[in-house]
Structures are given as C-alpha cells and as structure tokens.
Amino acid sequence: MLIASFVTGPFQANCYLLAAAQGCDCVIVDPGMEAMETLARGLAAHRLNPVAVALTHGHIDHVGSAREAGRRYDVPVYCPVDDRNLLSEPMEGLGDFAAPLLMQYYGSTSLEEPDEVIDVAHDSHHSLAGFDLEFLHAPGHTPGCSMIRLVDAEHGPVVLSGDVVFAGSIGRTDMPGGDPDEMAASLTQVVWPLDDATHLLPGHGGPTTMAAERATNPYLTAPDSNASSN
C-alpha cells in the first residue's frame, strides 16, 4: 500500500493519497486550501491516477481544493452527507474570523459545489481504487465529521481520522456545528473501540497509533470511566 501526504494551506491540513502501489489508481483525501500544485506533483511523482476525492468533513481547510481537484481529474467528490452544505456555504461551519480569509482566497464567502458530489451515508462502505473505505461517522467537530478506515494486508488497520482525533488531542467543538456532547460520544463509541494496532493518520499533525493515543491522549478514556464520572 502507498500512502503519500502533504500539508496544505494556512491551517496546515494534511492531504493524503491512497493507492495500492505506485502507478495505480488512487483516492485523494482532503484536498485543502492551496493544494493543487503540490497535489499535481505528488500524483506525477508516484504515477498515480485519481479515481475519487474523499472528504473526512466539510471545513474549508480540508475541502478548499475539492471542486478544482474533482474538475481537473474528472472524478467524483465523496462527502459526508451532513456536511454537504459546507461545500457551498463554508461560513456555516466557521467563525466570523474566517470571512476575510475566504474573501482573500476565493473572492466570496460562498462557493460552488464540485461538479459531482456523492453523498456519504453514516458508516457506509465505498469501493475505491481497490480499497474498501468505511466512513465511520464521528460527529462533534462537525455534524458529518467522519474517519475513513481501511485494512491493509501488510500494515493492518489504517484510519484517516480527520479532525476527530490527533496525536495527543482532539478536534475543537466550539465552531458552528460543533457539539462537545457528540464529540464525547464519538470518542467513546467510535474512537475508543478501534484496535490498538490501528495506524491513525490525522487531519493535522503527525501520524500516531491507537495504542499510543489510548495510553497518552488525555481526551480518550474508557467508556466505563466516562460513565462513572458523569
């Protein structure tokens, strides 16, 4: 399996390329703001053929180049259904601080949707580039926020955790659409049950493992511990 990554835009969001090997079909995950030039270089370097764009959630730092990538490579954009509105109205998921930034980068606070959007239902599976991609619905950061899970024969389970869980931290819940109670439920019901061997590839920062996060992430506690503390 080939996983290439690079950082995009002013919020330093991670974009990933998923492929079975060099020279194969691939999925572009979370092409954020200012991603297109680096994306083109990465695809060329690994001789990859994009077949889809997949989004973990709808915040602009993860979808800022989704429309352009979908159009340039003539591929559909898979978006969690509860965040589809953010593709055209990004301010619905952002604070007022973001308006000047959107005007600077896009000349508007409203955008055009990608040409072809596939609504991703909660916990659904999608066969793309030879992978079975499972979109684990984990709301709290946004209503549609999801983690994308796949299993590799050599490396085991891999989860692109978006802005749900990072190395040592979790996604913020204080922006429009965020919900701390939903985040708490996602952490105990969706994140905590992941196998220790799971490789986590977050939306920001470096990679980690579920074993490391279970042992050190202060926001992750066993479900029984949460129940006894409420």
Side-chain angles (χ1 to χ4, degrees), residues 161-172:
S161 58
D163 282 6
V164 179
V165 61
F166 311 121
S169 190
I170 60 171
R172 60 190 293 183

Side-chain angles (χ1 to χ4, degrees), residues 35-209:
M36 294 305 297
E37 182 178 341
T38 311
L39 173 59
R41 289 201 301 266
L43 293 171
H46 298 290
R47 296 177 285 108
L48 299 176
N49 174 52
V51 296
V53 171
L55 307 176
T56 59
H57 64 294
H59 278 160
I60 192 67
D61 54 329
H62 294 262
V63 310
S65 298
R67 181 175 183 272
E68 189 175 354
R71 174 166 288 187
R72 178 176 298 183
Y73 300 110
D74 192 23
V75 298
V77 175
Y78 287 73
C79 179
V81 62
D82 295 332
D83 278 6
R84 181 166 179 169
N85 63 303
L86 300 181
L87 296 177
S88 57
E89 297 298 335
M91 288 299 297
E92 292 181 6
L94 300 170
D96 292 341
F97 74 90
L101 189 69
L102 290 173
M103 291 300 298
Q104 175 187 342
Y105 278 88
Y106 303 103
S108 174
T109 57
S110 295
L111 306 175
E112 289 186 53
E113 270 198 357
D115 293 341
E116 182 181 2
V117 179
I118 306 295
D119 288 329
V120 174
H122 299 176
D123 304 322
S124 58
H125 291 254
H126 300 267
S127 180
L128 298 169
F131 296 113
D132 174 26
L133 301 185
E134 181 182 10
F135 285 72
L136 302 173
H137 186 227
H141 181 63
T142 67
C145 210
S146 299
M147 303 190 298
I148 302 174
R149 178 166 60 184
L150 62 147
V151 178
D152 178 68
E154 179 181 357
H155 299 287
V158 176
V159 169
L160 293 98
S161 58
D163 282 6
V164 179
V165 61
F166 311 121
S169 190
I170 60 171
R172 60 190 293 183
T173 60
D174 59 339
M175 291 192 292
D179 187 317
D181 292 333
E182 286 196 329
M183 176 62 87
S186 292
L187 294 175
T188 56
Q189 298 171 18
V190 185
V191 177
W192 184 266
L194 295 174
D195 189 274
D196 273 353
T198 301
H199 299 272
L200 297 176
L201 304 178
H204 300 267
T208 183
T209 66

